Amino acid sequence: MSFAYAVLAVVSVTIVSLLLAFEKRLGLFKRRFRKIDVESERHGGQIVASVLKAHGVKHVFTLCGGHISPILVALDEIGVRVVDTRHEATAVFAADAVARMSGTVGVAIVTAGPGLTNTITAVKNAQMAESPVVVIGGAAATILKGRGALQDIDQMVLFKPLCKFCASVKTVRDIVPTMKRALMEAQSGTPGPVFLEFPIDTLFPYSTVISEIGIKETTKSIGQKIVNRFLQNYVENIFDRAWSDSDYSPLPVKVPFPTASQVNRCVELILKSERPLIIFGSQATLPPVPVHMLRKSLERLGIPCYLGGMSRGLLGSNSPIQVKQRRRDALKEADLVILAGAVCDFRLSYGRVLSKASKIIAVNRNRIELYKNSDMFWKPNVAIQADAASLVVEVVKKLDKVDYSCGVGWVNLLRGRELEREEANKKKAEVKTTKNLNPLKVLSKLDEVLDDDCILVVDGGDFAATAAYTLRPRGPLQWLDPGDRKSVV
């Protein structure tokens, strides 16, 4: 008797399992509760466009392709400028530039397969430059992945090592929450690229998708009817409650701020120093602190500054506290060095240029970059994982209360060396060449004719390095730096 009950139990469980699997595939129960507007000609591309516009996106860069065309058409219809480039890498490089200069995200939209693989170098550059770039890519329909569809490859495995956040959007109702999170993640903490994959059937209207899915209406085959039901369920799931989420407003961006105790510790070290020095990296130009506010704080502080990366131009073209020449000598003599978003990689000889006698304050949003090579050549006395500009602004507020001023002798020493080196470079610029151009001559002449609103895009090795101490950006965010990947196109 017990054996019979056992057999009955096994059979019952098997039948239930089969019914559940059958229900999952065909959605017979769920269908009764779905909300689908089969007459609507709205599509996911319109939602993508609306979310981008709600986040302040004014330009997107692309190389047009069939998988992504609904997004591009929708963007054009609502007044977002679509810039068509000649290569997908160019689209991402352009988005990177917009992100660095605008204080918001840059957006590149490319087609599936080779369209996305062509972006890899540019996405890696955005990652290394800590640039908030949103890469949107088309994809084969989810139901056709791995079945030999046009341009179908595993795109996620390519982008996960390069991006802070990756997601494949499977249904129209998921577009808004997934995009809002991606846009927030791109700008939060240490900014960087994110990747969103949109299968083609999430971007076109219901009528188009259902007509192309392969349902055979006139069939007597039970097998084909089951296939039809499966395909119908698949499409209905994509469009179920498709237009229910209309809140496109941005999520709050998460920025790491310094604590009061960290600010006080920095103030103490500055007050005790006689020869302080600040080295800025690109992170100093990131929101939320406007660059003009950071500039005013530095001018009140009066500590000599070396500007690197995107921070070049932060103090204008003729600031008395900006130094460009003989940085190695200054670092040997400084008794306090503040690394404000600057990283001890090859650009600072991995930290070997820092004097062991100096006190060092390091501030960086990225913990890895904050401590880079500190196990070998240098040690921070104060290491702060926070926004560099925010720290500087708060420190200056504290120092204003005690009427702090940097020693005039130290500032004059560095400025004197600066003028000496510039005079020497002027003489080198006048040296006649027998065959090729004198790069110092070229750059010095270029500097003489730069407009006040000119944006300099500098790429290359030695030539870019020479430009860094020869050209004078006229203001903040007017220098696009190649970064440590040496790639700006």
Side-chain angles (χ1 to χ4, degrees):
M1 197 71 179
S2 59
F3 175 76
Y5 280 126
V7 171
L8 181 61
V10 170
V11 171
S12 299
V13 170
T14 303
I15 292 173
V16 170
S17 298
L18 290 172
L19 287 174
L20 288 174
F22 196 66
E23 159 60 24
K24 184 177 180 180
R25 288 287 184 177
L26 302 186
L28 299 175
F29 180 74
K30 290 181 180 179
R31 190 180 186 192
R32 299 182 64 180
F33 299 95
R34 284 179 174 154
K35 296 179 180 179
I36 304 165
D37 185 355
V38 297
E39 303 297 329
S40 176
E41 286 302 310
R42 295 177 67 186
H43 55 80
Q46 294 169 328
I47 300 178
V48 174
S50 297
V51 174
L52 291 176
K53 187 170 184 178
H55 283 71
V57 174
K58 294 180 172 58
H59 307 82
V60 300
F61 301 89
T62 188
L63 197 161
C64 188
H67 287 81
I68 56 171
S69 58
I71 302 176
L72 303 179
V73 171
L75 285 165
D76 184 64
E77 288 175 348
I78 62 175
V80 177
R81 185 181 177 192
V82 178
V83 181
D84 204 15
T85 64
R86 295 190 178 187
H87 195 281
E88 290 87 355
T90 306
V92 178
F93 279 127
D96 184 354
V98 166
R100 298 194 209 185
M101 295 170 60
S102 68
T104 184
V105 295
V107 180
I109 305 175
V110 299
T111 198
L116 278 162
T117 59
N118 281 347
T119 69
I120 295 298
T121 295
V123 175
K124 182 63 180 180
N125 194 72
Q127 181 193 44
M128 300 298 292
E130 300 174 348
S131 187
V133 173
V134 178
V135 179
I136 293 175
T142 303
I143 199 173
L144 295 178
K145 285 190 174 183
R147 297 178 182 273
L150 175 67
Q151 297 178 334
D152 177 32
I153 62 171
D154 188 348
Q155 298 171 160
M156 302 300 287
V157 74
L158 294 175
F159 285 89
K160 283 181 179 179
L162 304 177
C163 296
K164 294 181 63 183
F165 175 80
C166 294
S168 182
V169 179
K170 300 295 195 300
T171 67
V172 177
R173 65 182 173 274
D174 290 332
I175 293 176
V176 175
T178 306
M179 286 192 68
K180 287 171 67 171
R181 181 182 173 189
L183 288 154
M184 179 271 289
E185 293 284 358
Q187 301 171 83
S188 293
T190 304
V194 297
F195 171 58
L196 289 173
E197 177 185 81
F198 285 90
I200 193 169
D201 47 12
T202 63
L203 298 177
F204 281 84
Y206 176 89
S207 58
T208 301
V209 176
I210 199 69
S211 66
E212 297 292 331
I213 197 67
I215 294 175
K216 296 182 180 179
E217 298 292 348
T218 56
T219 181
K220 296 181 179 180
S221 166
I222 295 177
Q224 184 59 49
K225 289 181 178 180
I226 293 174
V227 171
N228 285 354
R229 180 60 249 153
F230 169 72
L231 295 175
Q232 184 78 34
N233 178 63
Y234 168 78
V235 176
E236 288 179 357
N237 183 54
I238 293 174
F239 288 91
D240 180 28
R241 292 168 287 126
W243 326 116
S244 59
D245 191 349
S246 58
D247 180 11
Y248 303 151
S249 58
L251 297 174
V253 174
K254 301 171 185 176
V255 178
F257 293 105
T259 65
S261 61
Q262 290 170 334
V263 171
N264 290 335
R265 178 61 177 144
C266 295
V267 169
E268 291 172 8
L269 290 175
I270 291 173
L271 289 174
K272 291 177 181 178
S273 69
E274 296 180 355
R275 299 180 302 280
L277 197 66
I278 306 178
I279 302 179
F280 279 100
S282 296
Q283 275 193 16
T285 64
L286 292 175
V289 177
V291 287
H292 67 271
M293 180 185 294
L294 177 59
R295 177 177 179 173
K296 288 180 180 178
S297 294
L298 290 173
E299 289 170 346
R300 291 206 308 273
L301 186 61
I303 293 178
C305 301
Y306 282 92
L307 305 178
M310 281 288 294
S311 71
R312 289 189 177 96
L314 179 62
L315 294 169
S317 59
N318 290 296
S319 172
I321 61 170
Q322 181 180 351
V323 196
K324 293 185 289 185
Q325 313 288 350
R326 296 180 64 175
R327 186 175 67 179
R328 187 179 292 267
D329 292 336
L331 288 169
K332 287 180 180 178
E333 297 169 348
D335 59 3
L336 173 65
V337 177
I338 302 173
L339 301 176
V343 180
C344 286
D345 55 16
F346 73 92
R347 290 167 290 187
L348 284 174
S349 296
Y350 310 98
R352 285 177 291 196
V353 295
L354 300 174
S355 171
K356 296 190 182 300
S358 301
K359 299 291 184 183
I360 300 173
I361 298 171
V363 54
N364 200 294
R365 294 192 184 195
N366 187 320
R367 183 175 177 82
I368 294 174
E369 301 296 287
L370 177 64
Y371 290 100
K372 181 157 284 186
N373 295 310
S374 64
D375 59 335
M376 295 180 65
F377 302 118
W378 70 289
K379 292 285 183 184
N381 296 90
V382 180
I384 304 171
Q385 186 177 357
D387 177 59
S390 297
L391 177 69
V392 171
V393 170
E394 292 304 313
V395 166
V396 172
K397 288 179 182 177
K398 292 278 188 179
L399 290 171
D400 277 347
K401 295 178 181 179
V402 296
D403 198 26
Y404 169 82
S405 64
C406 186
V408 176
W410 171 239
V411 176
N412 288 341
L413 173 65
L414 298 182
R415 286 299 300 170
R417 290 175 180 173
E418 182 87 357
L419 295 174
E420 287 178 9
R421 181 60 64 87
E422 288 184 353
E423 286 300 317
N425 287 338
K426 286 180 181 179
K427 292 179 180 179
K428 290 180 181 179
E430 297 305 320
V431 173
K432 303 294 184 181
T433 57
T434 56
K435 185 177 181 181
N436 299 314
L437 294 172
N438 181 333
L440 283 173
K441 182 74 170 181
V442 173
L443 291 169
S444 61
K445 289 296 183 183
L446 174 61
D447 188 65
E448 292 175 7
V449 299
L450 290 179
D451 293 329
D452 288 342
D453 60 352
C454 177
I455 296 171
L456 295 164
V457 181
V458 186
D459 193 11
D462 293 341
F463 193 80
T466 304
Y469 63 79
T470 306
L471 297 178
R472 297 172 298 166
R474 299 323 193 226
L477 302 178
Q478 291 181 227
W479 173 282
L480 272 176
D481 186 84
D484 59 353
R485 293 298 93 192
K486 300 300 179 189
S487 296
V488 173
V489 176

